[in-house]
Amino acid sequence: MSPKTKFDLLDYRILQVLHRDGRAPATDIAQSVGADVRTVRNRIARLVTSGAVRITAIMDPSAFDYVIAADIFLDVDPSLEEELTQRFLDMREISYVAYGAGSGEISLEVRFKNHAELREFLVHTLPSVPGVRSVRHTLVPQILKNIDEWLPAEEDFPVQHTEGGLIHAIKTLHRYPRFYQSGIARHH
């Protein structure tokens, strides 16, 4: 994403609607946020093009019987970190790969259908990978909030001080006063 890309409250309102329903038609979004359909389509395109938003299908692992989740923390040989990271990215069992703050730290999230598969992965698969020095893990019995549920704060979307943006914000406020007075605009 370009550091020059600026987002405003209209972008935030559009994101709120898409967050609730990623398949919402632009016409419904426009009506919900009080904007022109063409504006909404252009804003969505800009959000996607800038890299701020990815349009994708999100799977529910449990729908496919992947009911066991674990977070794994690895200490690896720093000289093999890139090679190991690529190897982990290619492993179907791994749903998340990230570097830790220190050199040689890699964090994984894994999904399995049963405890036997998880145990095999922890006891045999990972320790047999050259460059993996230690493996720590924690079972994740329930995920309460996942990345697909995250939204930036409304404060990250300042009102644009351009004439068009400010005029649009004022028109939207006058057009949909109950939306703003009810608190929906602040809390959704």
Side-chain angles (χ1 to χ4, degrees):
M1 186 175 79
S2 167
K4 295 178 184 177
T5 304
K6 299 289 183 198
F7 303 108
D8 62 19
L9 287 173
L10 178 58
D11 295 312
Y12 183 68
R13 305 286 180 251
I14 292 168
L15 288 172
Q16 288 177 308
V17 175
L18 288 172
H19 193 254
R20 286 189 301 273
D21 179 5
R23 296 177 61 192
T27 52
D28 292 356
I29 297 170
Q31 184 177 16
S32 176
V33 301
D36 178 77
V37 174
R38 173 181 261 163
T39 300
V40 168
R41 286 189 180 120
N42 289 339
R43 293 293 187 104
I44 292 170
R46 183 172 62 99
L47 287 162
V48 171
T49 302
S50 72
V53 172
R54 284 181 294 147
I55 306 296
T56 186
I58 298 170
M59 310 307 139
D60 178 358
S62 64
F64 301 95
D65 296 326
Y66 289 88
V67 294
I68 307 298
D71 288 334
I72 300 174
F73 310 98
L74 303 175
D75 179 29
V76 302
D77 180 340
S79 69
L80 299 174
E81 198 172 59
E82 280 187 44
E83 178 185 327
L84 289 169
T85 301
Q86 188 55 54
R87 183 173 183 164
F88 298 141
L89 288 170
D90 294 336
M91 296 176 86
R92 179 197 52 78
E93 304 92 341
I94 299 175
S95 58
Y96 171 88
V97 178
Y99 289 121
S103 178
E105 296 176 354
I106 297 177
S107 176
L108 310 173
E109 180 186 77
V110 295
R111 302 292 180 131
F112 292 97
K113 292 187 175 187
N114 57 57
H115 287 96
E117 290 178 353
L118 173 61
R119 184 178 189 286
E120 175 67 23
F121 190 76
L122 291 170
V123 174
H124 299 288
T125 303
L126 286 176
S128 70
V129 174
V132 173
R133 294 178 175 163
S134 70
V135 177
R136 293 176 298 126
H137 75 282
T138 185
L139 288 177
V140 180
Q142 183 179 13
I143 295 173
L144 303 174
K145 183 176 183 178
N146 217 335
I147 185 66
D148 58 293
E149 299 170 279
W150 180 84
L151 271 176
E154 184 173 348
E155 295 79 37
D156 294 332
F157 297 84
V159 174
Q160 294 294 321
H161 294 287
T162 62
E163 184 179 330
L166 187 55
I167 288 172
H168 175 76
I170 292 168
K171 284 181 182 176
T172 301
L173 178 61
H174 288 290
R175 212 166 151 196
Y176 298 94
R178 286 185 298 176
F179 176 76
Y180 289 90
Q181 292 169 354
S182 68
I184 294 172
R186 290 189 307 271
H187 302 292
H188 285 8

